[in-house]
Amino acid sequence: MRARLVLGVLVGAGLFAGAAHATARPITAHDKALLARPATYEEKIAEAVAGRLTRHTVSVRCGDIGEPSYVLGVTPFVGSHALDYFLMRPDECTYLAWFDRSPARWDPRTCVGSDCQYVPDIAMALAVVAHESYHILGYVNEARVECYGMQSIWYVANKLGAPVAESEALGSFYATKMYPQREESTPRYWSAQCRDGGKYDLRPGSHAWPS
Ligand SMILES: [Zn+2]
């Protein structure tokens, strides 16, 4: 059985310097070992949200994903099918747990002091879950997946306990501060069509963006 991996979210520029490279490899023994162990508390948080977003039973594991450090998540595919699981770096699980514990602390509008430094990391972790969820749904075009994921950051944040206004603020933070950096830093993950009314707008009837 031939397997390939679709790269997950790639980190952006600035805080997240690094170039995007597509890779393909079979599922490794390490992936299998990671998936064979029970989910941790943090992984269950991600599984619950990804499951609600995709309506699939999704397994998530955090660990060594066997990719360069700028790759934060991967969704293994066999042929053209995703396998209802994805892998993330351990930091992403940590940030999700932080957010789950205290969503209000990471509100980009009201964060205090050094907490604000982590808001991009938190927003990215929410985005990774959303991004990989669209791979689970079978999408492989990274620009499309990244754009769909960005439009679901609010959903991930809301399911983890943030009020709608904060959830939308996190989506907006990602869209205005982080996504634009992708045009240069990770162009495969960026599209001019990722905008209100663009080809990748999931809710063309609404002018709210990206939520
Ligand atoms: Zn991806």
Side-chain angles (χ1 to χ4, degrees):
M1 195 159 55
R2 256 185 98 239
R4 67 197 170 91
L5 279 167
V6 171
L7 282 184
V9 172
L10 296 179
V11 291
L15 269 178
F16 310 105
H21 298 284
T23 63
R25 64 164 167 78
I27 296 169
T28 65
H30 184 76
D31 293 346
K32 288 180 182 164
L34 210 49
L35 287 157
R37 66 157 173 75
T40 64
Y41 171 77
E42 289 80 5
E43 289 162 351
K44 285 177 181 167
I45 293 171
E47 287 179 345
V49 177
R52 290 177 74 164
L53 193 53
T54 60
R55 302 185 185 210
H56 290 221
T57 301
V58 179
S59 294
V60 180
R61 294 294 181 277
C62 291
D64 175 9
I65 62 175
E67 295 292 335
S69 59
Y70 53 78
V71 181
L72 301 181
V74 291
T75 299
F77 271 62
V78 173
S80 59
H81 296 282
L83 297 177
D84 281 358
Y85 59 76
F86 60 81
L87 310 174
M88 300 192 299
R89 292 200 173 280
D91 282 356
E92 305 314 300
C93 262
T94 299
Y95 294 133
L96 287 180
W98 287 5
F99 189 76
D100 182 61
R101 203 173 301 144
S102 181
R105 193 172 161 189
W106 315 107
D107 188 329
R109 302 165 303 172
T110 55
C111 63
V112 177
S114 61
D115 284 358
C116 300
Q117 293 170 21
Y118 289 99
V119 169
D121 296 308
I122 297 280
M124 182 62 81
L126 302 173
V128 172
V129 172
H131 179 109
E132 302 309 331
S133 292
Y134 281 98
H135 281 315
I136 295 279
L137 290 173
Y139 295 101
V140 293
N141 176 309
E142 293 293 358
R144 176 185 292 265
V145 167
E146 175 64 7
C147 190
Y148 286 176
M150 183 169 80
Q151 293 172 74
S152 298
I153 288 172
W154 73 273
Y155 183 92
V156 176
N158 186 239
K159 293 307 165 215
L160 292 176
V164 170
E166 180 190 349
S167 302
E168 291 181 344
L170 280 157
S172 182
F173 179 85
Y174 190 93
T176 58
K177 309 280 192 223
M178 299 167 74
Y179 186 80
Q181 298 177 11
R182 292 196 178 283
E183 184 176 4
E184 292 224 333
S185 67
T186 56
R188 281 183 62 238
Y189 289 68
W190 181 88
S191 170
Q193 290 301 320
C194 186
R195 56 178 167 78
D196 179 30
K199 185 170 77 175
Y200 296 145
D201 186 348
L202 287 170
R203 292 170 285 270
S206 159
H207 290 306
W209 181 262
S211 302

